[in-house]
Amino acid sequence: MNAYIFPGQGAQFVGMGLDLYENHALAQELFEKANDILGFSITDIMFEGTTEDLKQTKVTQPAIFLHSVILSKALGDNFKPDMVAGHSLGEFSALVANGTLNFEDGLKLVSQRALAMQKACELQSSTMAAVLGLDDEVVEKICGETEGIVVPANYNCPGQLVISGEVESVNSACEKMKEAGARRALLLPVGGAFHSPLMEPAREELAAAIEATNFSEPSCPIYQNVPTTAVTKADEIKTNLISQLTAPVKWTQSVQQMVKDGGKSFVEVGPGKVLQGLVRKIAPGTETSSAAL
């Protein structure tokens, strides 16, 4: 079975999508439509902006979404997923790819998500940190024993877990992780504590937008970050998507389930190759590749 996977924040780079725009009429049409929907020229920033411009949350999330979704549409009949999944933001790209959301609604939700997350970040000083070389259970235990808010946020692959929360609590947890034998425990250059209880204001704001958006029955199952199992019901997809902002991204568990359900070939659609690397660590021997025209 063909599994198509969609990257999240951090995969962006200046120049992303330019080849699509220049060489594919449908891609050009969709990029221009995106500029109109967003109310600013995101293509100028994606194609010719600076790295700093592209790192703005209001730009980064729609940019990665656009690259992934427009590439999947440009593939035409060659895009035939049996199952899809996306890492955090990538879940929205996956939902357009399997027909749950249309292009316009997906982009609007991603833009609203980005702005809501940015507002939540500004309410309280918070951060994230990558922990390498510890079992998940040890990381979970240390987070639970640390004062303040600090939680597991991204289960990326065995031995690589990202934690999220209040700055002081994350720093304290990192020290304890190192004492427990972590190979590394380092702060990430992010604007806030994504996938933690501190994103509750953003979750509430996005929930209203998701509830007001039409979700169709998908053409193939999506393995969402929250339940990690195959989901095919529009109402369930909505519920899980709302939960995603404050719940951990269980990427390891999702990929394991996809393989268990018959996923043989994992194709990454969008910028970068991060997810391919994670899949190979989660399920060694699995075939991985990048989508290309």
Side-chain angles (χ1 to χ4, degrees), residues 130-143:
V131 181
L132 307 181
L134 275 188
D135 288 341
D136 292 350
E137 295 76 17
V138 177
V139 176
E140 290 164 352
K141 184 171 185 290
I142 290 172
C143 284

Side-chain angles (χ1 to χ4, degrees), residues 67-84:
H67 189 283
S68 293
V69 168
I70 292 174
L71 175 55
S72 72
K73 290 189 177 297
L75 289 168
D77 292 340
N78 292 323
F79 183 74
K80 294 176 180 174
D82 298 307
M83 50 176 68
V84 296

Side-chain angles (χ1 to χ4, degrees), residues 92 109 205-215 238-239 241-242:
F92 288 81
L109 285 178
E205 191 172 327
L206 191 64
I210 287 173
E211 291 294 358
T213 301
N214 179 58
F215 278 51
K238 273 191 177 186
T239 300
L241 202 57
I242 291 167

Side-chain angles (χ1 to χ4, degrees), residues 117 120-121 192-204 245-246:
M117 288 171 76
C121 290
F194 305 140
H195 301 289
S196 82
L198 296 176
M199 284 292 113
E200 180 58 28
R203 190 198 68 79
E204 290 176 5
L245 270 184
T246 52

Side-chain angles (χ1 to χ4, degrees), residues 266-283:
F266 283 75
V267 182
E268 186 164 4
V269 189
K273 298 182 178 180
V274 171
L275 296 186
Q276 294 171 66
L278 296 180
V279 168
R280 288 194 293 270
K281 289 175 182 174
I282 296 164

Side-chain angles (χ1 to χ4, degrees), residues 14 20 67 77 100 104 204 279 286-287:
V14 174
L20 279 171
H67 189 283
D77 292 340
T100 305
E104 294 84 352
E204 290 176 5
V279 168
T286 304
E287 181 186 329

Side-chain angles (χ1 to χ4, degrees), residues 156-170:
N156 285 333
C157 68
Q160 187 188 127
L161 210 163
V162 175
I163 61 174
S164 181
E166 296 167 333
V167 173
E168 199 172 314
S169 300
V170 170

Side-chain angles (χ1 to χ4, degrees), residues 50-269:
T50 66
T51 301
E52 283 304 309
D53 289 339
L54 198 54
K55 269 164 65 174
Q56 298 174 75
T57 301
K58 75 166 188 175
V59 175
T60 309
Q61 294 193 26
I64 293 168
F65 168 87
L66 288 170
H67 189 283
S68 293
V69 168
I70 292 174
L71 175 55
S72 72
K73 290 189 177 297
L75 289 168
D77 292 340
N78 292 323
F79 183 74
K80 294 176 180 174
D82 298 307
M83 50 176 68
V84 296
H87 191 287
S88 188
L89 158 71
E91 198 161 274
F92 288 81
S93 308
L95 288 171
V96 175
N98 77 352
T100 305
L101 285 168
N102 66 37
F103 174 79
E104 294 84 352
D105 287 341
L107 178 57
K108 287 173 186 174
L109 285 178
V110 165
S111 179
Q112 287 171 294
R113 178 184 192 264
L115 295 171
M117 288 171 76
Q118 184 61 44
K119 278 194 277 183
C121 290
E122 291 164 2
L123 290 174
Q124 186 170 357
S125 180
S126 57
T127 192
M128 301 176 82
V131 181
L132 307 181
L134 275 188
D135 288 341
D136 292 350
E137 295 76 17
V138 177
V139 176
E140 290 164 352
K141 184 171 185 290
I142 290 172
C143 284
E145 293 171 351
T146 301
E147 193 173 330
I149 296 173
V150 56
V151 296
N154 297 349
Y155 291 79
N156 285 333
C157 68
Q160 187 188 127
L161 210 163
V162 175
I163 61 174
S164 181
E166 296 167 333
V167 173
E168 199 172 314
S169 300
V170 170
N171 279 321
S172 175
C174 282
E175 291 307 310
K176 293 176 186 175
M177 305 282 181
K178 291 173 189 171
E179 290 168 11
R183 196 164 72 250
R184 294 181 79 181
L186 66 161
L187 294 181
L188 297 174
V190 295
F194 305 140
H195 301 289
S196 82
L198 296 176
M199 284 292 113
E200 180 58 28
R203 190 198 68 79
E204 290 176 5
E205 191 172 327
L206 191 64
I210 287 173
E211 291 294 358
T213 301
N214 179 58
F215 278 51
S216 302
E217 297 298 308
S219 61
C220 69
I222 179 167
Y223 289 70
Q224 290 184 275
N225 296 170
V226 175
T228 76
T229 51
V231 185
T232 56
K233 299 293 183 191
D235 286 347
E236 286 180 43
I237 291 171
K238 273 191 177 186
T239 300
N240 296 333
L241 202 57
I242 291 167
S243 300
Q244 192 221 65
L245 270 184
T246 52
V249 173
K250 294 190 174 179
W251 186 250
T252 300
Q253 299 88 330
S254 296
V255 171
Q256 287 170 338
Q257 189 62 48
M258 292 169 89
V259 171
K260 188 177 177 182
D261 291 350
K264 291 282 189 288
S265 169
F266 283 75
V267 182
E268 186 164 4
V269 189

